[in-house]
Amino acid sequence: MSNFEALWTFQTEDIKADTIANEIRRSPTRQKLERSRDFILERQKQYKQIEDSISGLADRKEMLEQALARAVDRLDQLRGRMNGLDPEDEASVEAMVREMSDAREELHSFEAELSHMNSDAGAYDKQLRSVRVEAAKAKQAFDQLKVDYENESKTKKEELEAQRARAKALESSVEPDLLAEYMAIKKHITPPVSRLQFGQCSGCNTSLPSATLSKIRNGVLVECETCGRMIIQ
Ligand SMILES: [Zn+2]
């Protein structure tokens, strides 16, 4: 086998190994696993936010209940004072009626706000339950995906190891200088070796000048001026 043919055979197995390595990196199962993890993290964040809202609501509710108790007291006091007023003193009675009406209004607005808060709290509880259920389902899916990915990548990694070994075994059949050149080109472009096809570099489909063509036909090492690959016949 010529040097170039040995290199070509080596490249075939080397690129197969790279393909498996890429498949492992871009595995759809792995991508699903990452998306599933993000979904769970997002639900956990949401759960925390709802809990914070509930705790803020509880604080406000406590303050409002105190304000409501004060408003009830105030109204009671006003009623007491109203009873002690002289019914003939119209101005004082009128002022007292106004004050009591204000106090009642305040009391009703507190009651309305409290009832609103209670319905908010109910809605938050419902949200919390639904996020918890979603997160639990997602966790189950995640665990299954993780098992699948571990099985899949175990098989793939074994396949990759075997393929790397096949390529490695062919390395010694390639002349060391040529192999070094191959490795150097591979850092920039892969696969590093292309065939001459209809007077073109099959790597980038650039037509080659006749001087280059005859060099290739004479077995001289040529690199494509466009893509940098080694071109062999
Ligand atoms: Zn080229």
Side-chain angles (χ1 to χ4, degrees), residues 16-219:
K16 273 188 205 163
D18 290 349
T19 305
I20 299 169
N22 281 335
E23 280 169 9
I24 293 175
R25 265 198 297 277
R26 294 194 217 120
S27 145
T29 316
R30 179 173 159 160
Q31 285 169 11
K32 267 193 223 161
L33 192 65
E34 282 167 7
R35 280 199 296 275
S36 169
R37 182 206 53 206
D38 290 348
F39 183 84
I40 293 170
L41 289 178
E42 189 53 43
R43 289 301 163 278
Q44 284 172 345
K45 211 169 104 188
Q46 230 181 341
Y47 195 84
K48 179 83 185 48
Q49 279 167 352
I50 300 170
E51 275 186 334
D52 286 349
S53 302
I54 289 177
S55 122
L57 194 67
D59 289 347
R60 287 213 310 281
K61 200 175 155 185
E62 206 184 305
M63 276 164 57
L64 199 60
E65 275 165 351
Q66 286 165 2
L68 186 70
R70 281 196 300 272
V72 171
D73 281 351
R74 182 178 164 213
L75 202 58
D76 279 348
Q77 281 169 15
L78 289 174
R79 278 196 194 101
R81 274 163 55 200
M82 180 77 160
N83 291 335
L85 279 184
D86 174 5
E88 301 297 320
D89 181 358
E90 277 183 30
S92 297
V93 170
E94 250 175 53
M96 184 56 73
V97 166
R98 267 201 305 278
E99 215 178 323
M100 281 181 75
S101 154
D102 286 350
R104 261 191 220 102
E105 219 168 273
E106 188 187 46
L107 190 71
H108 288 153
S109 86
F110 286 156
E111 279 170 348
E113 208 180 329
L114 255 179
S115 130
H116 195 75
M117 271 187 185
N118 283 333
S119 92
D120 278 356
Y124 280 139
D125 280 340
K126 218 167 138 186
Q127 271 180 26
L128 212 54
R129 270 198 302 278
S130 108
V131 170
R132 195 160 45 213
V133 168
E134 268 184 45
K137 273 189 199 157
K139 179 69 172 68
Q140 233 175 4
F142 176 86
D143 289 344
Q144 185 55 51
L145 276 169
K146 201 169 169 215
V147 171
D148 291 350
Y149 178 66
E150 272 160 15
N151 288 335
E152 180 194 288
S153 63
K154 188 171 172 278
T155 315
K156 276 278 176 197
K157 276 173 188 161
E158 282 165 3
E159 207 183 312
L160 176 62
E161 240 168 81
Q163 187 55 42
R164 287 262 183 251
R166 268 197 286 279
K168 191 81 192 155
L170 289 169
E171 256 185 31
S172 57
S173 63
V174 183
E175 198 188 290
D177 284 355
L178 207 52
L179 187 66
E181 186 71 17
Y182 173 93
M183 295 303 179
I185 297 175
K186 199 182 173 188
K187 282 180 189 149
H188 307 291
I189 194 153
T190 190
V193 186
S194 69
R195 289 279 194 190
L196 177 66
Q197 236 169 17
F198 311 114
Q200 294 181 335
C201 160
S202 64
C204 66
N205 297 325
T206 301
S207 294
L208 304 164
S210 57
T212 309
L213 291 178
S214 60
K215 272 190 198 165
I216 297 169
R217 291 197 179 109
N218 290 325

